[in-house]
Amino acid sequence: MLYLASKSPRRRDLLARLGVDFDTIDLDIPEQRQPGEAADDYVRRVAREKAGAGLLQVVATPGAAVLGADTEVILDDEVFGKPADADDAAAMLRRLSGRTHRVVSAVWLVSAEREAEAVSVSNVTFDRLDEARIARYIATGEAFGKAGAYGIQGAAEVFVSRLDGSFSGVMGLPLHETDALLHRFGFVQAAGSEA
């Protein structure tokens, strides 16, 4: 049985596209970067902690495997998490304006017998954003609950002048890498579904 250790509706929707049956586990894992921890290592660690904590909840289920993922926006080695409020969101978008940032999405799949990891790194270039454009976007409410204060699958898609990498990875679950992990663990698509 496959479990997704995530509260994210985007992640649930993305995993469903792969046509595998799964249940979700809601967890509250602290997402705090350690002093001196490299940004990429932080993303990988949080994803693994989510998967590991989820496995502890379902380890009694025969054949249980838990998928944990974390996605962060990184600019100049600074990790842009979810904005605390509208001012924080505006500050993030101002920093991203006219620049290229990295989006690192780490995925861990763990079971009682083994674990495996995949990482997707995408480079996202934003157009220049003026204050009015930033304010209009924040007013949509989309900026909240998303790393870097934007969702590429929504109104912010027009901010992106260039994407080198994985669109689904920027959304929160890189489908190519996730599909490969699931196949390694023997999870296959349900009958009649397409990836």
mmCIF file of all heavy atoms in Angstrom, residues 82-101:
data_model
loop_
_atom_site.group_PDB
_atom_site.id
_atom_site.type_symbol
_atom_site.label_atom_id
_atom_site.label_comp_id
_atom_site.label_asym_id
_atom_site.label_seq_id
_atom_site.Cartn_x
_atom_site.Cartn_y
_atom_site.Cartn_z
ATOM 1 N N LYS A 82 7.278 29.306 2.713
ATOM 2 C CA LYS A 82 5.941 29.864 2.518
ATOM 3 C C LYS A 82 5.879 31.226 3.196
ATOM 4 O O LYS A 82 6.381 31.387 4.306
ATOM 5 C CB LYS A 82 4.898 28.916 3.107
ATOM 6 C CG LYS A 82 4.906 27.551 2.453
ATOM 7 C CD LYS A 82 3.954 26.598 3.160
ATOM 8 C CE LYS A 82 3.963 25.255 2.481
ATOM 9 N NZ LYS A 82 4.834 24.289 3.117
ATOM 10 N N PRO A 83 5.271 32.220 2.555
ATOM 11 C CA PRO A 83 5.225 33.562 3.160
ATOM 12 C C PRO A 83 4.348 33.588 4.413
ATOM 13 O O PRO A 83 3.314 32.922 4.470
ATOM 14 C CB PRO A 83 4.638 34.431 2.057
ATOM 15 C CG PRO A 83 3.863 33.492 1.193
ATOM 16 C CD PRO A 83 4.576 32.178 1.260
ATOM 17 N N ALA A 84 4.786 34.376 5.387
ATOM 18 C CA ALA A 84 4.046 34.505 6.645
ATOM 19 C C ALA A 84 2.803 35.368 6.474
ATOM 20 O O ALA A 84 1.787 35.167 7.134
ATOM 21 C CB ALA A 84 4.950 35.093 7.723
ATOM 22 N N ASP A 85 2.892 36.363 5.577
ATOM 23 C CA ASP A 85 1.781 37.295 5.367
ATOM 24 C C ASP A 85 1.974 37.998 4.022
ATOM 25 O O ASP A 85 2.912 37.686 3.278
ATOM 26 C CB ASP A 85 1.696 38.307 6.526
ATOM 27 C CG ASP A 85 3.009 39.056 6.764
ATOM 28 O OD1 ASP A 85 3.800 39.245 5.807
ATOM 29 O OD2 ASP A 85 3.266 39.456 7.916
ATOM 30 N N ALA A 86 1.101 38.960 3.733
ATOM 31 C CA ALA A 86 1.151 39.650 2.437
ATOM 32 C C ALA A 86 2.456 40.429 2.257
ATOM 33 O O ALA A 86 3.020 40.460 1.158
ATOM 34 C CB ALA A 86 -0.055 40.570 2.286
ATOM 35 N N ASP A 87 2.947 41.047 3.324
ATOM 36 C CA ASP A 87 4.201 41.802 3.210
ATOM 37 C C ASP A 87 5.369 40.873 2.887
ATOM 38 O O ASP A 87 6.244 41.208 2.077
ATOM 39 C CB ASP A 87 4.479 42.570 4.509
ATOM 40 C CG ASP A 87 3.525 43.741 4.714
ATOM 41 O OD1 ASP A 87 2.903 44.181 3.728
ATOM 42 O OD2 ASP A 87 3.401 44.209 5.865
ATOM 43 N N ASP A 88 5.392 39.719 3.545
ATOM 44 C CA ASP A 88 6.439 38.732 3.299
ATOM 45 C C ASP A 88 6.359 38.220 1.853
ATOM 46 O O ASP A 88 7.373 38.089 1.172
ATOM 47 C CB ASP A 88 6.288 37.585 4.298
ATOM 48 C CG ASP A 88 7.493 36.660 4.343
ATOM 49 O OD1 ASP A 88 8.603 37.109 4.008
ATOM 50 O OD2 ASP A 88 7.323 35.490 4.728
ATOM 51 N N ALA A 89 5.140 37.955 1.387
ATOM 52 C CA ALA A 89 4.943 37.495 0.004
ATOM 53 C C ALA A 89 5.444 38.543 -0.982
ATOM 54 O O ALA A 89 6.136 38.215 -1.957
ATOM 55 C CB ALA A 89 3.469 37.189 -0.244
ATOM 56 N N ALA A 90 5.113 39.797 -0.747
ATOM 57 C CA ALA A 90 5.551 40.876 -1.641
ATOM 58 C C ALA A 90 7.070 40.990 -1.653
ATOM 59 O O ALA A 90 7.684 41.168 -2.713
ATOM 60 C CB ALA A 90 4.914 42.200 -1.220
ATOM 61 N N ALA A 91 7.686 40.856 -0.490
ATOM 62 C CA ALA A 91 9.152 40.935 -0.411
ATOM 63 C C ALA A 91 9.795 39.811 -1.211
ATOM 64 O O ALA A 91 10.786 40.024 -1.922
ATOM 65 C CB ALA A 91 9.600 40.890 1.046
ATOM 66 N N MET A 92 9.232 38.611 -1.128
ATOM 67 C CA MET A 92 9.778 37.480 -1.897
ATOM 68 C C MET A 92 9.650 37.732 -3.397
ATOM 69 O O MET A 92 10.599 37.529 -4.158
ATOM 70 C CB MET A 92 9.034 36.185 -1.533
ATOM 71 C CG MET A 92 9.340 35.643 -0.169
ATOM 72 S SD MET A 92 8.467 34.059 0.076
ATOM 73 C CE MET A 92 8.786 33.791 1.813
ATOM 74 N N LEU A 93 8.482 38.161 -3.825
ATOM 75 C CA LEU A 93 8.255 38.384 -5.256
ATOM 76 C C LEU A 93 9.140 39.504 -5.788
ATOM 77 O O LEU A 93 9.619 39.437 -6.922
ATOM 78 C CB LEU A 93 6.778 38.661 -5.520
ATOM 79 C CG LEU A 93 5.862 37.450 -5.277
ATOM 80 C CD1 LEU A 93 4.399 37.860 -5.341
ATOM 81 C CD2 LEU A 93 6.155 36.329 -6.270
ATOM 82 N N ARG A 94 9.381 40.532 -4.983
ATOM 83 C CA ARG A 94 10.305 41.604 -5.400
ATOM 84 C C ARG A 94 11.708 41.046 -5.628
ATOM 85 O O ARG A 94 12.395 41.428 -6.572
ATOM 86 C CB ARG A 94 10.375 42.699 -4.326
ATOM 87 C CG ARG A 94 9.230 43.666 -4.362
ATOM 88 C CD ARG A 94 9.443 44.825 -3.361
ATOM 89 N NE ARG A 94 8.142 45.304 -2.953
ATOM 90 C CZ ARG A 94 7.571 45.077 -1.766
ATOM 91 N NH1 ARG A 94 8.215 44.396 -0.827
ATOM 92 N NH2 ARG A 94 6.374 45.545 -1.504
ATOM 93 N N ARG A 95 12.149 40.153 -4.737
ATOM 94 C CA ARG A 95 13.479 39.557 -4.864
ATOM 95 C C ARG A 95 13.572 38.656 -6.093
ATOM 96 O O ARG A 95 14.621 38.567 -6.738
ATOM 97 C CB ARG A 95 13.817 38.730 -3.616
ATOM 98 C CG ARG A 95 13.934 39.510 -2.322
ATOM 99 C CD ARG A 95 15.345 39.926 -1.949
ATOM 100 N NE ARG A 95 16.369 38.933 -2.123
ATOM 101 C CZ ARG A 95 16.677 37.991 -1.255
ATOM 102 N NH1 ARG A 95 16.011 37.868 -0.135
ATOM 103 N NH2 ARG A 95 17.670 37.153 -1.516
ATOM 104 N N LEU A 96 12.482 37.944 -6.417
ATOM 105 C CA LEU A 96 12.487 37.030 -7.561
ATOM 106 C C LEU A 96 12.340 37.761 -8.892
ATOM 107 O O LEU A 96 12.711 37.234 -9.936
ATOM 108 C CB LEU A 96 11.362 35.998 -7.411
ATOM 109 C CG LEU A 96 11.448 35.064 -6.199
ATOM 110 C CD1 LEU A 96 10.208 34.185 -6.107
ATOM 111 C CD2 LEU A 96 12.711 34.209 -6.247
ATOM 112 N N SER A 97 11.806 38.976 -8.848
ATOM 113 C CA SER A 97 11.531 39.758 -10.051
ATOM 114 C C SER A 97 12.780 39.949 -10.908
ATOM 115 O O SER A 97 13.830 40.374 -10.431
ATOM 116 C CB SER A 97 10.985 41.125 -9.633
ATOM 117 O OG SER A 97 10.873 41.980 -10.754
ATOM 118 N N GLY A 98 12.653 39.567 -12.195
ATOM 119 C CA GLY A 98 13.740 39.786 -13.151
ATOM 120 C C GLY A 98 14.944 38.891 -12.940
ATOM 121 O O GLY A 98 15.998 39.137 -13.527
ATOM 122 N N ARG A 99 14.824 37.863 -12.132
ATOM 123 C CA ARG A 99 15.958 36.999 -11.806
ATOM 124 C C ARG A 99 15.633 35.537 -12.098
ATOM 125 O O ARG A 99 14.478 35.161 -12.238
ATOM 126 C CB ARG A 99 16.310 37.122 -10.309
ATOM 127 C CG ARG A 99 16.518 38.536 -9.837
ATOM 128 C CD ARG A 99 17.861 38.922 -9.283
ATOM 129 N NE ARG A 99 18.858 37.943 -8.992
ATOM 130 C CZ ARG A 99 19.355 37.736 -7.777
ATOM 131 N NH1 ARG A 99 18.895 38.397 -6.731
ATOM 132 N NH2 ARG A 99 20.320 36.857 -7.606
ATOM 133 N N THR A 100 16.676 34.722 -12.108
ATOM 134 C CA THR A 100 16.519 33.278 -12.233
ATOM 135 C C THR A 100 16.770 32.651 -10.872
ATOM 136 O O THR A 100 17.789 32.936 -10.231
ATOM 137 C CB THR A 100 17.511 32.700 -13.261
ATOM 138 O OG1 THR A 100 17.238 33.290 -14.539
ATOM 139 C CG2 THR A 100 17.378 31.182 -13.368
ATOM 140 N N HIS A 101 15.820 31.844 -10.427
ATOM 141 C CA HIS A 101 15.980 31.124 -9.163
ATOM 142 C C HIS A 101 15.886 29.628 -9.423
ATOM 143 O O HIS A 101 15.480 29.192 -10.493
ATOM 144 C CB HIS A 101 14.926 31.574 -8.133
ATOM 145 C CG HIS A 101 13.514 31.338 -8.561
ATOM 146 N ND1 HIS A 101 12.792 32.254 -9.300
ATOM 147 C CD2 HIS A 101 12.675 30.287 -8.361
ATOM 148 C CE1 HIS A 101 11.574 31.778 -9.526
ATOM 149 N NE2 HIS A 101 11.480 30.575 -8.964
#
